[in-house]
Amino acid sequence: MSAGLAHAELIAVLAAVTGDEPRVMTIRSGDALPSGPFELAHRSLQAGLREWVSDQTGHPVGYLEQLYTFADRDRTQDESDSRTISISYLGLVREQAAPGAGKPGWHGWYEYFPWEDHRRGEPEALRAIADHLQRWAEREASRRDHRRRRIEFAFGLNGAAWNEDLTLQRYELMFEAGLVFESGGEEFVGTGRPMFADHRRILATGIARLRAKIKYRPVVFELMPESFTLLQLQRTVEALAGLTLHKPNFRRLIDSHDLIEETGDVTSETGGRPAKLFRYRHAVLEERAFSGSKLPISRN
Amino acid sequence: MSAGLAHAELIAVLAAVTGDEPRVMTIRSGDALPSGPFELAHRSLQAGLREWVSDQTGHPVGYLEQLYTFADRDRTQDESDSRTISISYLGLVREQAAPGAGKPGWHGWYEYFPWEDHRRGEPEALRAIADHLQRWAEREASRRDHRRRRIEFAFGLNGAAWNEDLTLQRYELMFEAGLVFESGGEEFVGTGRPMFADHRRILATGIARLRAKIKYRPVVFELMPESFTLLQLQRTVEALAGLTLHKPNFRRLIDSHDLIEETGDVTSETGGRPAKLFRYRHAVLEERAFSGSKLPISRN
DNA sequence: CTCCTTTATACTCGAAATGAGTATATGACG
DNA sequence: CGTCATATACTCATTTCGAGTATAAAGGAG
């Protein structure tokens, strides 16, 4: 059971939502994700990272899960022979105050992925990106069909529907096609702000995971204040998913799952009829399985 | 961006299904999961592991995904100061022949988790396990309620339904309560065969992931032969989930998703009326998004 | 050859969930 | 006081789901 030596670091994708904007914690004025040496993980990776993040940001991390471990040799341009293993985590933070101009820099994540925000209709850059990709697909006869299908699927072209979960697949296609700065191509109109090394790919992984997760686990509440209105909750989900939702049905969904309860107060800060305030019922985490079985179980 | 040095290894959870039994590839006559040094990952972790596994087992790996990276200091009894990072993978293999007595040892995974197989009703050990856990919960007044709820939820007691996805949570509870050999307790009746270090926990992680995954991605087909009957397919899913399924509804589910097509042949090896043979439609992977949106999207 | 057993495959039907839209309530403001 | 804006409550057709029943096509026993 031999084990090779390698350098190890931790990388965090910390997400918060301010107003209607999903944000990610960055360093170097938005050029990189926060990372730290592996040593900080005292007893467990989770515990170490938790501590480190709350030191760095002043916010406790509500939810933390491992994202992915990256270790490919060609991850970084740097050709040194030392292998680096990066263990990445996704954390959710209740961002309290407006972000100061200071150290922990929160940046709207659609700054890095402008084509991912469909709340105000199809982003304008999308058309051009799709065109570029399709030209790229034609360039190699042998893989043409396969590439075409991947593009149609990932970007919801030709009758396929846009699927917000495919953030990583879309980024990877654009990377392969040389459409993002990190892959050394040249066409960068509307293809978003680049990041150090493969940090943008890691961010894409985090966004994809979070978008998938909010559908079957009540993690949004880790991003909400103690009490909130239903519309605030909806706007937060919309911000994460990059989609607009159907209001009546969203409400029905939420309360059919017994996720929240009224606090008794109302707020009239929203304009119009005052909205009831709700709080998350923490008990649900233990009560309910959110992984609706889906398999046609037989009871006998 | 400092990065500490650590030992790194890869660990594989390779699953196959023979007949109605789900199996896992082991070494040391079933005492450990196969693992190898990190170096084998030449260009990418995936590619390296693929190559290594097919060398070791003679079977190509159909599907491979990263499972989890373990790096806690207290993972192993060994008190040396060197940190080891274990990157684990889940792989699906079409096991061709009956497993020889030779090197790659395939072991039925319910040998390690007898309480996880509910196909023939509730396993007998479950009652005793639940009792032990409940006594353990009572032992500490402060955490009693929390523990009780975790137990009820994970094991489907008190009105909660059994959820096959919670394999890892169940193992972890049993570990905490000292019910498994690896945690140094004493009561081991019906608590399954132990494994080296934390390999059984890793296996539990793999089983849980696979059980969750078969519900929303067509990965079962990676375990099936080229052509198969609907009942064979159902039996395979049942083996993985440890549950029996409702036959008519299972069929409806499968063909409502257009996952398979008839080969044109039939087999009468099943006894009774001959069954049509089907094959997997590989195209679906690209066509369809299996992550049914679940969010009430508004189209405007 | 006929009936019985066994497995395969095809329907049925009510209940629940979902997509889409409409109607009413309640504040603020001019 | 009416109008604007938002909140909240219903409605209704359609689809999906859980559960069960009915028919088809083999092999084997007698």
Side-chain angles (χ1 to χ4, degrees), chain B residues 21 25 113 127 131 148 173 177 211 214 238 246 278:
Chain B
E21 240 21 75
M25 223 266 267
F113 302 98
R127 201 63 266 140
D131 288 349
R148 270 208 206 122
L173 273 169
R211 283 182 170 183
I214 49 175
E238 289 175 335
H246 186 275
F278 294 84

Side-chain angles (χ1 to χ4, degrees), chain A residues 227-233 251 255 260-270 272-279:
Chain A
S227 74
F228 49 84
T229 69
L230 281 173
L231 190 58
Q232 275 167 23
L233 182 63
R251 292 158 160 268
D255 70 36
I260 58 178
E261 62 193 4
E262 302 185 6
T263 66
D265 296 328
V266 294
T267 177
S268 37
E269 284 167 21
T270 52
R273 171 172 172 180
K276 290 184 192 158
L277 287 169
F278 294 84
R279 79 168 71 83

Side-chain angles (χ1 to χ4, degrees), chain A residues 39-212:
Chain A
E39 280 81 32
L40 59 87
H42 309 294
R43 276 205 22 262
S44 82
L45 283 176
Q46 302 255 357
L49 194 63
R50 267 217 148 75
E51 199 175 302
W52 175 73
V53 168
S54 65
D55 284 358
Q56 295 288 308
T57 66
H59 309 302
V61 190
Y63 176 84
L64 192 63
E65 74 167 43
Q66 206 181 84
L67 249 190
Y68 202 80
T69 299
F70 298 88
D72 299 350
R73 175 157 288 177
D74 48 359
R75 282 182 58 215
T76 164
Q77 292 84 340
D78 152 31
E79 287 296 320
S80 75
D81 208 38
S82 69
R83 316 287 312 264
T84 295
I85 297 178
S86 301
I87 307 174
S88 60
Y89 277 81
L90 169 66
L92 303 185
V93 175
R94 240 177 285 275
E95 192 190 2
Q96 345 265 32
K103 293 77 161 276
W106 292 96
H107 282 256
W109 77 27
Y110 295 122
E111 197 176 304
Y112 306 96
F113 302 97
W115 62 88
E116 291 288 340
D117 188 0
H118 287 227
R119 285 175 295 173
R120 280 161 294 272
E122 183 158 297
E124 36 171 334
L126 239 190
R127 199 65 266 139
I129 291 173
D131 287 349
H132 267 106
L133 284 172
Q134 272 163 334
R135 256 174 282 137
W136 166 74
E138 305 305 325
R139 277 216 287 280
E140 254 184 278
S142 60
R143 306 184 209 161
R144 204 188 47 200
D145 281 13
H146 182 237
R147 282 183 178 173
R148 270 208 205 122
R149 277 197 300 265
R150 280 173 67 205
I151 294 167
E152 285 169 9
F153 175 64
F155 286 85
L157 309 175
N158 270 330
W162 173 265
N163 182 338
E164 75 279 6
D165 288 357
L166 304 178
T167 305
L168 180 59
Q169 284 89 327
R170 286 187 282 267
Y171 179 77
E172 285 184 336
L173 272 168
M174 292 172 63
F175 188 97
E176 278 185 64
L179 280 184
V180 295
F181 179 82
E182 289 92 329
S183 58
E186 313 110 46
E187 311 266 15
F188 309 132
V189 191
T191 63
R193 177 175 176 179
M195 277 183 148
F196 169 76
D198 59 350
H199 286 199
R200 207 157 147 220
R201 180 193 302 266
I202 297 175
L203 176 53
T205 308
I207 293 174
R209 181 82 128 256
L210 185 50
R211 283 182 169 183

Side-chain angles (χ1 to χ4, degrees), chain B residues 27 30 53 64 82 84-85 118 121 131 133 137 141 145 152 164 170 191-192 203 214 218 220 261 265 283 286 298:
Chain B
I27 59 172
V53 168
L64 192 63
S82 69
T84 295
I85 297 176
H118 287 226
D131 288 349
L133 284 172
D145 280 14
E152 284 170 9
E164 74 281 5
R170 286 187 282 266
T191 64
L203 176 53
I214 49 175
V220 220
E261 61 193 5
D265 295 328
E286 289 138 3
S298 136

